[in-house]
mmCIF file with all atom_site columns, all heavy atoms in Angstrom:
data_model
loop_
_atom_site.group_PDB
_atom_site.id
_atom_site.type_symbol
_atom_site.label_atom_id
_atom_site.label_alt_id
_atom_site.label_comp_id
_atom_site.label_asym_id
_atom_site.label_entity_id
_atom_site.label_seq_id
_atom_site.pdbx_PDB_ins_code
_atom_site.Cartn_x
_atom_site.Cartn_y
_atom_site.Cartn_z
_atom_site.occupancy
_atom_site.B_iso_or_equiv
_atom_site.pdbx_formal_charge
_atom_site.auth_seq_id
_atom_site.auth_comp_id
_atom_site.auth_asym_id
_atom_site.auth_atom_id
_atom_site.pdbx_PDB_model_num
ATOM 1   N N   . ALA A 1 278 ? 1.720   42.585 7.250   1.00 86.00 ? 278 ALA A N   1
ATOM 2   C CA  . ALA A 1 278 ? 1.110   43.259 6.102   1.00 86.00 ? 278 ALA A CA  1
ATOM 3   C C   . ALA A 1 278 ? -0.143  43.980 6.593   1.00 86.00 ? 278 ALA A C   1
ATOM 4   O O   . ALA A 1 278 ? -0.785  43.538 7.545   1.00 86.00 ? 278 ALA A O   1
ATOM 5   C CB  . ALA A 1 278 ? 0.758   42.249 5.026   1.00 86.00 ? 278 ALA A CB  1
ATOM 6   N N   . ARG A 1 279 ? -0.471  45.090 5.959   1.00 88.00 ? 279 ARG A N   1
ATOM 7   C CA  . ARG A 1 279 ? -1.655  45.854 6.374   1.00 88.00 ? 279 ARG A CA  1
ATOM 8   C C   . ARG A 1 279 ? -2.934  45.099 5.976   1.00 88.00 ? 279 ARG A C   1
ATOM 9   O O   . ARG A 1 279 ? -3.855  44.968 6.756   1.00 88.00 ? 279 ARG A O   1
ATOM 10  C CB  . ARG A 1 279 ? -1.597  47.230 5.708   1.00 88.00 ? 279 ARG A CB  1
ATOM 11  C CG  . ARG A 1 279 ? -2.781  48.126 6.002   1.00 88.00 ? 279 ARG A CG  1
ATOM 12  C CD  . ARG A 1 279 ? -2.581  48.939 7.261   1.00 88.00 ? 279 ARG A CD  1
ATOM 13  N NE  . ARG A 1 279 ? -3.693  49.842 7.497   1.00 88.00 ? 279 ARG A NE  1
ATOM 14  C CZ  . ARG A 1 279 ? -4.252  50.046 8.689   1.00 88.00 ? 279 ARG A CZ  1
ATOM 15  N NH1 . ARG A 1 279 ? -3.807  49.417 9.754   1.00 88.00 ? 279 ARG A NH1 1
ATOM 16  N NH2 . ARG A 1 279 ? -5.239  50.887 8.833   1.00 88.00 ? 279 ARG A NH2 1
ATOM 17  N N   . HIS A 1 280 ? -2.958  44.654 4.748   1.00 90.00 ? 280 HIS A N   1
ATOM 18  C CA  . HIS A 1 280 ? -4.150  43.946 4.270   1.00 90.00 ? 280 HIS A CA  1
ATOM 19  C C   . HIS A 1 280 ? -3.747  42.659 3.549   1.00 90.00 ? 280 HIS A C   1
ATOM 20  O O   . HIS A 1 280 ? -2.746  42.630 2.854   1.00 90.00 ? 280 HIS A O   1
ATOM 21  C CB  . HIS A 1 280 ? -4.932  44.795 3.264   1.00 90.00 ? 280 HIS A CB  1
ATOM 22  C CG  . HIS A 1 280 ? -5.343  46.124 3.797   1.00 90.00 ? 280 HIS A CG  1
ATOM 23  N ND1 . HIS A 1 280 ? -6.288  46.258 4.791   1.00 90.00 ? 280 HIS A ND1 1
ATOM 24  C CD2 . HIS A 1 280 ? -4.927  47.382 3.495   1.00 90.00 ? 280 HIS A CD2 1
ATOM 25  C CE1 . HIS A 1 280 ? -6.443  47.555 5.067   1.00 90.00 ? 280 HIS A CE1 1
ATOM 26  N NE2 . HIS A 1 280 ? -5.623  48.249 4.294   1.00 90.00 ? 280 HIS A NE2 1
ATOM 27  N N   . THR A 1 281 ? -4.543  41.621 3.719   1.00 91.00 ? 281 THR A N   1
ATOM 28  C CA  . THR A 1 281 ? -4.376  40.451 2.856   1.00 91.00 ? 281 THR A CA  1
ATOM 29  C C   . THR A 1 281 ? -5.765  40.027 2.381   1.00 91.00 ? 281 THR A C   1
ATOM 30  O O   . THR A 1 281 ? -6.736  40.102 3.132   1.00 91.00 ? 281 THR A O   1
ATOM 31  C CB  . THR A 1 281 ? -3.708  39.237 3.558   1.00 91.00 ? 281 THR A CB  1
ATOM 32  O OG1 . THR A 1 281 ? -4.619  38.671 4.506   1.00 91.00 ? 281 THR A OG1 1
ATOM 33  C CG2 . THR A 1 281 ? -2.403  39.607 4.245   1.00 91.00 ? 281 THR A CG2 1
ATOM 34  N N   . ALA A 1 282 ? -5.821  39.641 1.125   1.00 94.00 ? 282 ALA A N   1
ATOM 35  C CA  . ALA A 1 282 ? -7.077  39.137 0.568   1.00 94.00 ? 282 ALA A CA  1
ATOM 36  C C   . ALA A 1 282 ? -6.721  38.229 -0.600  1.00 94.00 ? 282 ALA A C   1
ATOM 37  O O   . ALA A 1 282 ? -5.920  38.592 -1.450  1.00 94.00 ? 282 ALA A O   1
ATOM 38  C CB  . ALA A 1 282 ? -7.955  40.284 0.090   1.00 94.00 ? 282 ALA A CB  1
ATOM 39  N N   . ALA A 1 283 ? -7.278  37.045 -0.587  1.00 96.00 ? 283 ALA A N   1
ATOM 40  C CA  . ALA A 1 283 ? -6.928  36.053 -1.604  1.00 96.00 ? 283 ALA A CA  1
ATOM 41  C C   . ALA A 1 283 ? -7.898  36.079 -2.770  1.00 96.00 ? 283 ALA A C   1
ATOM 42  O O   . ALA A 1 283 ? -9.112  36.065 -2.568  1.00 96.00 ? 283 ALA A O   1
ATOM 43  C CB  . ALA A 1 283 ? -6.942  34.660 -0.979  1.00 96.00 ? 283 ALA A CB  1
ATOM 44  N N   . ASP A 1 284 ? -7.353  36.122 -3.966  1.00 97.00 ? 284 ASP A N   1
ATOM 45  C CA  . ASP A 1 284 ? -8.156  35.819 -5.142  1.00 97.00 ? 284 ASP A CA  1
ATOM 46  C C   . ASP A 1 284 ? -8.021  34.309 -5.324  1.00 97.00 ? 284 ASP A C   1
ATOM 47  O O   . ASP A 1 284 ? -6.950  33.812 -5.659  1.00 97.00 ? 284 ASP A O   1
ATOM 48  C CB  . ASP A 1 284 ? -7.582  36.576 -6.353  1.00 97.00 ? 284 ASP A CB  1
ATOM 49  C CG  . ASP A 1 284 ? -8.338  36.272 -7.640  1.00 97.00 ? 284 ASP A CG  1
ATOM 50  O OD1 . ASP A 1 284 ? -9.010  35.218 -7.705  1.00 97.00 ? 284 ASP A OD1 1
ATOM 51  O OD2 . ASP A 1 284 ? -8.252  37.076 -8.585  1.00 97.00 ? 284 ASP A OD2 1
ATOM 52  N N   . VAL A 1 285 ? -9.098  33.583 -5.053  1.00 97.00 ? 285 VAL A N   1
ATOM 53  C CA  . VAL A 1 285 ? -8.998  32.113 -5.099  1.00 97.00 ? 285 VAL A CA  1
ATOM 54  C C   . VAL A 1 285 ? -9.579  31.535 -6.391  1.00 97.00 ? 285 VAL A C   1
ATOM 55  O O   . VAL A 1 285 ? -9.871  30.344 -6.466  1.00 97.00 ? 285 VAL A O   1
ATOM 56  C CB  . VAL A 1 285 ? -9.673  31.449 -3.867  1.00 97.00 ? 285 VAL A CB  1
ATOM 57  C CG1 . VAL A 1 285 ? -8.938  31.800 -2.593  1.00 97.00 ? 285 VAL A CG1 1
ATOM 58  C CG2 . VAL A 1 285 ? -11.146 31.794 -3.763  1.00 97.00 ? 285 VAL A CG2 1
ATOM 59  N N   . SER A 1 286 ? -9.715  32.384 -7.417  1.00 97.00 ? 286 SER A N   1
ATOM 60  C CA  . SER A 1 286 ? -10.375 31.873 -8.626  1.00 97.00 ? 286 SER A CA  1
ATOM 61  C C   . SER A 1 286 ? -9.586  30.747 -9.298  1.00 97.00 ? 286 SER A C   1
ATOM 62  O O   . SER A 1 286 ? -10.177 29.814 -9.829  1.00 97.00 ? 286 SER A O   1
ATOM 63  C CB  . SER A 1 286 ? -10.695 33.000 -9.609  1.00 97.00 ? 286 SER A CB  1
ATOM 64  O OG  . SER A 1 286 ? -9.609  33.865 -9.763  1.00 97.00 ? 286 SER A OG  1
ATOM 65  N N   . LYS A 1 287 ? -8.238  30.819 -9.214  1.00 98.00 ? 287 LYS A N   1
ATOM 66  C CA  . LYS A 1 287 ? -7.446  29.749 -9.831  1.00 98.00 ? 287 LYS A CA  1
ATOM 67  C C   . LYS A 1 287 ? -7.659  28.418 -9.078  1.00 98.00 ? 287 LYS A C   1
ATOM 68  O O   . LYS A 1 287 ? -7.848  27.366 -9.691  1.00 98.00 ? 287 LYS A O   1
ATOM 69  C CB  . LYS A 1 287 ? -5.954  30.137 -9.819  1.00 98.00 ? 287 LYS A CB  1
ATOM 70  C CG  . LYS A 1 287 ? -5.067  29.140 -10.524 1.00 98.00 ? 287 LYS A CG  1
ATOM 71  C CD  . LYS A 1 287 ? -3.615  29.611 -10.538 1.00 98.00 ? 287 LYS A CD  1
ATOM 72  C CE  . LYS A 1 287 ? -2.695  28.537 -11.073 1.00 98.00 ? 287 LYS A CE  1
ATOM 73  N NZ  . LYS A 1 287 ? -1.275  28.908 -10.978 1.00 98.00 ? 287 LYS A NZ  1
ATOM 74  N N   . ALA A 1 288 ? -7.647  28.493 -7.744  1.00 98.00 ? 288 ALA A N   1
ATOM 75  C CA  . ALA A 1 288 ? -7.865  27.277 -6.939  1.00 98.00 ? 288 ALA A CA  1
ATOM 76  C C   . ALA A 1 288 ? -9.276  26.729 -7.178  1.00 98.00 ? 288 ALA A C   1
ATOM 77  O O   . ALA A 1 288 ? -9.487  25.519 -7.233  1.00 98.00 ? 288 ALA A O   1
ATOM 78  C CB  . ALA A 1 288 ? -7.653  27.574 -5.463  1.00 98.00 ? 288 ALA A CB  1
ATOM 79  N N   . ARG A 1 289 ? -10.226 27.650 -7.328  1.00 98.00 ? 289 ARG A N   1
ATOM 80  C CA  . ARG A 1 289 ? -11.603 27.201 -7.575  1.00 98.00 ? 289 ARG A CA  1
ATOM 81  C C   . ARG A 1 289 ? -11.680 26.440 -8.888  1.00 98.00 ? 289 ARG A C   1
ATOM 82  O O   . ARG A 1 289 ? -12.256 25.364 -8.974  1.00 98.00 ? 289 ARG A O   1
ATOM 83  C CB  . ARG A 1 289 ? -12.547 28.412 -7.584  1.00 98.00 ? 289 ARG A CB  1
ATOM 84  C CG  . ARG A 1 289 ? -14.007 28.021 -7.543  1.00 98.00 ? 289 ARG A CG  1
ATOM 85  C CD  . ARG A 1 289 ? -14.966 29.197 -7.606  1.00 98.00 ? 289 ARG A CD  1
ATOM 86  N NE  . ARG A 1 289 ? -14.669 30.227 -6.640  1.00 98.00 ? 289 ARG A NE  1
ATOM 87  C CZ  . ARG A 1 289 ? -14.422 31.508 -6.953  1.00 98.00 ? 289 ARG A CZ  1
ATOM 88  N NH1 . ARG A 1 289 ? -14.437 31.898 -8.201  1.00 98.00 ? 289 ARG A NH1 1
ATOM 89  N NH2 . ARG A 1 289 ? -14.178 32.398 -6.020  1.00 98.00 ? 289 ARG A NH2 1
ATOM 90  N N   . LYS A 1 290 ? -11.027 27.015 -9.904  1.00 98.00 ? 290 LYS A N   1
ATOM 91  C CA  . LYS A 1 290 ? -11.115 26.438 -11.250 1.00 98.00 ? 290 LYS A CA  1
ATOM 92  C C   . LYS A 1 290 ? -10.383 25.096 -11.343 1.00 98.00 ? 290 LYS A C   1
ATOM 93  O O   . LYS A 1 290 ? -10.916 24.115 -11.858 1.00 98.00 ? 290 LYS A O   1
ATOM 94  C CB  . LYS A 1 290 ? -10.489 27.436 -12.235 1.00 98.00 ? 290 LYS A CB  1
ATOM 95  C CG  . LYS A 1 290 ? -10.787 27.126 -13.661 1.00 98.00 ? 290 LYS A CG  1
ATOM 96  C CD  . LYS A 1 290 ? -10.495 28.322 -14.554 1.00 98.00 ? 290 LYS A CD  1
ATOM 97  C CE  . LYS A 1 290 ? -10.229 27.840 -15.957 1.00 98.00 ? 290 LYS A CE  1
ATOM 98  N NZ  . LYS A 1 290 ? -9.004  28.352 -16.531 1.00 98.00 ? 290 LYS A NZ  1
ATOM 99  N N   . ILE A 1 291 ? -9.149  25.047 -10.844 1.00 98.00 ? 291 ILE A N   1
ATOM 100 C CA  . ILE A 1 291 ? -8.341  23.835 -11.059 1.00 98.00 ? 291 ILE A CA  1
ATOM 101 C C   . ILE A 1 291 ? -8.504  22.816 -9.934  1.00 98.00 ? 291 ILE A C   1
ATOM 102 O O   . ILE A 1 291 ? -8.581  21.613 -10.184 1.00 98.00 ? 291 ILE A O   1
ATOM 103 C CB  . ILE A 1 291 ? -6.852  24.215 -11.260 1.00 98.00 ? 291 ILE A CB  1
ATOM 104 C CG1 . ILE A 1 291 ? -6.734  25.113 -12.501 1.00 98.00 ? 291 ILE A CG1 1
ATOM 105 C CG2 . ILE A 1 291 ? -5.969  22.969 -11.397 1.00 98.00 ? 291 ILE A CG2 1
ATOM 106 C CD1 . ILE A 1 291 ? -5.340  25.599 -12.813 1.00 98.00 ? 291 ILE A CD1 1
ATOM 107 N N   . LEU A 1 292 ? -8.572  23.296 -8.687  1.00 98.00 ? 292 LEU A N   1
ATOM 108 C CA  . LEU A 1 292 ? -8.661  22.350 -7.560  1.00 98.00 ? 292 LEU A CA  1
ATOM 109 C C   . LEU A 1 292 ? -10.107 22.098 -7.121  1.00 98.00 ? 292 LEU A C   1
ATOM 110 O O   . LEU A 1 292 ? -10.358 21.264 -6.259  1.00 98.00 ? 292 LEU A O   1
ATOM 111 C CB  . LEU A 1 292 ? -7.876  22.888 -6.346  1.00 98.00 ? 292 LEU A CB  1
ATOM 112 C CG  . LEU A 1 292 ? -6.384  23.185 -6.527  1.00 98.00 ? 292 LEU A CG  1
ATOM 113 C CD1 . LEU A 1 292 ? -5.801  23.737 -5.231  1.00 98.00 ? 292 LEU A CD1 1
ATOM 114 C CD2 . LEU A 1 292 ? -5.627  21.930 -6.954  1.00 98.00 ? 292 LEU A CD2 1
ATOM 115 N N   . GLY A 1 293 ? -11.037 22.863 -7.690  1.00 98.00 ? 293 GLY A N   1
ATOM 116 C CA  . GLY A 1 293 ? -12.424 22.767 -7.230  1.00 98.00 ? 293 GLY A CA  1
ATOM 117 C C   . GLY A 1 293 ? -12.561 23.284 -5.808  1.00 98.00 ? 293 GLY A C   1
ATOM 118 O O   . GLY A 1 293 ? -13.431 22.872 -5.042  1.00 98.00 ? 293 GLY A O   1
#
Side-chain angles (χ1 to χ4, degrees):
R279 178 88 177 137
H280 303 292
T281 71
D284 178 339
V285 294
S286 45
K287 184 177 172 186
R289 192 182 309 123
K290 193 164 156 231
I291 299 179
L292 302 179

